[in-house]
Amino acid sequence: MNLKQNLGRSTAWMSLAATGNSVISFIIFIVLSRILSATDIGLVAFALIIVELGKIIVNAGFSQAVVQRADWDNTYASTCFYLNILFSILVTLIIFFIAAPLVAHYYEPKSELILKVLSIIFFLEGCKAVHEGKLKREFSFRVIALRTVLASLVSGTLGIYLAINGFGVWALVFQQLTSQILVTFVTIISAKWMPTLTFSWAHTQQLLRFSTPLMVAQLMGNLGSKIFEVLIGILMGPAALGFFRVGGRALYILQDVVLKPLENTTLSALSRITQADQQALSVLRVIRMSCYLTFPIFFGAAAIGPEFIILAFGERWALSGQIMMLLAIGIVPTVIGQQMNSVFTASGNSRVVLVLAAITFVGNCIVGLLMVPFGLLAVACGFAARTYITLLFNLYFFKRIYQIDVSYVLRITAPSFTSSLIMFAALMSVKVIIGHALPLALLLPMLCILGAIIYALSIRLIFKHETKLFFIESIDLAPTKFKYFLGAIQRLIKIT
């Protein structure tokens, strides 16, 4: 199987599994949110922000280093493994004796014990990081996908059971722990590799040179994306954070379904391409395809967000629906930025990824501090504005490294962006005219169908040539099982 087929097959597996996992986890989250309070959700949400930051330090970019390395080296992998374990111990100690007391003082005393219990996750993450890298470099995304679905289903079922039986916030805590235990166990078993008793200082120096900028970039990128939630939690309290988290939850799931599979598989594929110009052309093809697929999804989510949240979560979460609409509009530029970060990483330009992460972090800090005093909707507006501004920096570095003009990137994304914007405007107009006359259970599917029709007509009538290129490239990359499906859509809208 060639690289092109590997990319298409792996992306398809990750997309299918991510969809199944996201549907499961979202249904579970809806059930839990109807049982638990906004404060309960806010308490665990804040702790998980810190846990996610700690997991980045534990991984330290070594998993990406294993993927990026041309050939498998057992000594190199073993060195990565022991460094991951060392980092997991250090992070756990920092959480126990520094972070947890600070969270108790500045956020909420109840969060201290929650954070200490969740710190078990760091050791589990350290144990599986290299094994996951091995699976990715071997394009074993089927295993990665299925283990995630299994963990989500089992842990979610446990969380609901505990919530119904009065465990409150601890239902969410044990849900997270169970998920991590299952993911770690399946990953280690599936990788069929165990570290040897070897450690190389030379490899350590090489690893740190490659991975440190990448780790810092991921750390800053993650913190930058969560800084709004951190500020909301500290300045407005757990309940406000709960509302903001519910507003973003459906979007996080959409990101897992439509963005993460491409992000994971693109890095693996691009790392096998040695020529810089071929890397650039390949990522541009991925950007064109991902924009055609994801832009209408996120603009559509923005259009139906308020009604969807009320229908799924209940009237008491109505504010979260407005937040979802604004956040969805802001996610659109990250589709392009994430793909560019993948090619920067694959080509060894990890320092560029670090600079971009620093820009995002500073931008989010400034916007967050300015907007939090004005409320949750102002914060969501600030996030959306920031994503469009920082995309300009991604485009600048892409041009500087690969000598591809910014206008070309904008041209290949303009058809899907324009068509999605037309769809969004049309759906908002329909809501104003007849939205109040229909029950939500009828209005939402009607809007989804209408949005799909409007988007299809737009790309067919206004951007026929560009859409034809999209289908040619998509069918070329897609696994055999999906080629017929894409061909059927192509024939349906008469793009030949």
Side-chain angles (χ1 to χ4, degrees):
M1 187 178 295
N2 60 34
L3 185 62
K4 189 185 297 182
Q5 290 172 321
N6 269 328
L7 175 61
R9 186 181 182 87
S10 300
T11 302
W13 261 112
M14 291 298 285
S15 296
L16 285 172
T19 301
N21 174 62
S22 296
V23 170
I24 293 169
S25 62
F26 190 58
I27 291 173
I28 290 167
F29 184 75
I30 290 173
V31 174
L32 289 172
S33 68
R34 286 180 172 270
I35 300 172
L36 303 174
S37 67
T39 300
D40 289 334
I41 294 174
L43 285 171
V44 175
F46 197 90
L48 288 176
I49 293 172
I50 298 172
V51 169
E52 289 301 318
L53 294 174
K55 286 170 69 173
I56 292 172
I57 299 173
V58 170
N59 278 283
F62 299 152
S63 179
Q64 289 93 330
V66 169
V67 175
Q68 193 260 357
R69 191 173 176 85
D71 300 306
W72 178 264
D73 183 326
N74 211 40
T75 301
Y76 185 84
S78 297
T79 301
C80 289
F81 177 82
Y82 292 121
L83 287 173
N84 282 137
I85 295 299
L86 175 62
F87 281 22
S88 70
I89 295 171
L90 292 175
V91 169
T92 301
L93 292 174
I94 292 171
I95 294 297
F96 249 80
F97 297 107
I98 299 176
L102 287 175
V103 168
H105 180 74
Y106 289 103
Y107 179 59
E108 170 63 47
K110 293 179 182 178
S111 289
E112 182 173 8
L113 182 57
I114 293 172
L115 189 54
K116 287 182 176 179
V117 173
L118 287 173
S119 64
I120 299 171
I121 289 174
F122 299 130
F123 181 75
L124 296 170
E125 184 71 19
C127 289
K128 79 167 181 67
V130 175
H131 298 78
E132 184 161 328
K134 183 174 184 292
L135 291 175
K136 286 181 178 180
R137 66 174 286 113
E138 294 171 351
F139 287 92
S140 298
F141 289 97
R142 177 181 179 180
V143 174
I144 296 173
L146 293 179
R147 64 136 204 226
T148 307
V149 173
L150 172 66
S152 178
L153 183 60
V154 174
S155 64
T157 303
L158 175 64
I160 292 174
Y161 172 80
L162 294 175
I164 292 173
N165 285 276
F167 279 76
V169 69
W170 291 102
L172 298 172
V173 173
F174 289 120
Q175 178 194 10
Q176 295 295 323
L177 289 177
T178 304
S179 177
Q180 185 69 42
I181 290 170
L182 290 173
V183 166
T184 300
F185 176 76
V186 175
T187 302
I188 292 174
I189 296 299
S190 302
K192 298 178 182 178
W193 174 83
M194 292 298 290
T196 59
L197 296 176
T198 55
F199 188 88
S200 169
W201 286 107
H203 284 330
T204 299
Q205 293 174 346
Q206 180 186 355
L207 277 165
L208 293 177
R209 281 196 301 270
F210 171 82
S211 299
T212 300
L214 196 59
M215 178 192 70
V216 175
Q218 291 174 335
L219 195 63
M220 294 181 67
N222 190 281
L223 181 58
S225 66
K226 302 295 185 184
I227 194 67
F228 294 109
E229 295 184 2
V230 172
L231 292 173
I232 288 169
I234 293 174
L235 300 177
M236 303 179 70
L241 178 55
F243 279 103
F244 196 83
R245 175 54 67 96
V246 168
R249 180 67 180 186
L251 299 176
Y252 296 148
I253 289 173
L254 281 177
Q255 285 180 291
D256 285 341
V257 172
V258 300
L259 297 185
K260 286 292 176 65
L262 273 172
E263 183 182 358
N264 289 330
T265 56
T266 301
L267 174 59
S268 298
L270 293 175
S271 297
R272 302 295 174 267
I273 302 174
T274 55
Q275 295 85 8
D277 59 334
Q278 290 301 313
Q279 285 182 331
L281 291 175
S282 296
V283 82
L284 286 172
R285 294 179 69 187
V286 174
I287 287 173
R288 186 204 302 273
M289 289 185 294
S290 58
C291 289
Y292 259 89
L293 295 171
T294 60
F295 281 7
I297 292 175
F298 288 112
F299 272 113
I304 68 172
E307 292 75 19
F308 172 77
I309 291 293
I310 293 174
L311 180 64
F313 292 88
E315 286 283 352
R316 69 185 177 113
W317 297 100
L319 176 61
S320 298
Q322 300 296 324
I323 293 170
M324 177 179 170
M325 179 179 68
L326 296 169
L327 294 180
I329 294 172
I331 289 176
V332 170
T334 65
V335 176
I336 303 171
Q338 286 184 3
Q339 301 305 327
M340 289 186 172
N341 282 347
S342 292
V343 76
F344 294 149
T345 302
S347 59
N349 290 291
S350 55
R351 292 185 182 275
V352 173
V353 180
L354 173 59
V355 171
L356 289 170
I359 292 171
T360 299
F361 175 73
V362 172
N364 280 351
C365 287
I366 294 172
V367 173
L369 287 171
L370 290 175
M371 295 299 175
V372 165
F374 297 97
L376 294 177
L377 294 181
V379 173
C381 286
F383 167 81
R386 196 278 305 158
T387 59
Y388 285 89
I389 294 171
T390 52
L391 176 62
L392 299 176
F393 293 95
N394 289 85
L395 295 170
Y396 166 75
F397 283 110
F398 190 75
K399 177 183 179 181
R400 197 177 76 170
I401 295 173
Y402 297 105
Q403 305 304 310
I404 294 177
D405 196 78
V406 171
S407 62
Y408 179 76
V409 181
L410 296 179
R411 281 201 304 273
I412 67 173
T413 58
S416 51
F417 183 85
T418 304
S419 299
S420 299
L421 200 58
I422 292 171
M423 177 196 70
F424 174 76
L427 294 182
M428 295 300 289
S429 299
V430 170
K431 285 169 55 177
V432 171
I433 297 171
I434 64 171
H436 298 291
L438 297 174
L440 293 180
L442 178 62
L443 178 63
L444 283 175
M446 187 197 76
L447 290 174
C448 291
I449 294 171
L450 183 60
I453 294 172
I454 294 171
Y455 182 73
L457 287 174
S458 180
I459 61 174
R460 168 65 177 82
L461 299 176
I462 305 176
F463 303 105
K464 184 176 181 179
H465 175 70
E466 293 82 357
T467 304
K468 182 179 180 180
L469 290 177
F470 159 73
F471 277 107
I472 292 172
E473 293 175 347
S474 299
I475 293 173
D476 187 36
L477 280 175
T480 304
K481 295 179 181 179
F482 288 87
K483 291 182 186 292
Y484 176 80
F485 176 70
L486 289 170
I489 297 177
Q490 184 181 21
R491 290 189 295 274
L492 179 65
I493 62 176
K494 298 180 180 181
I495 297 288
T496 56

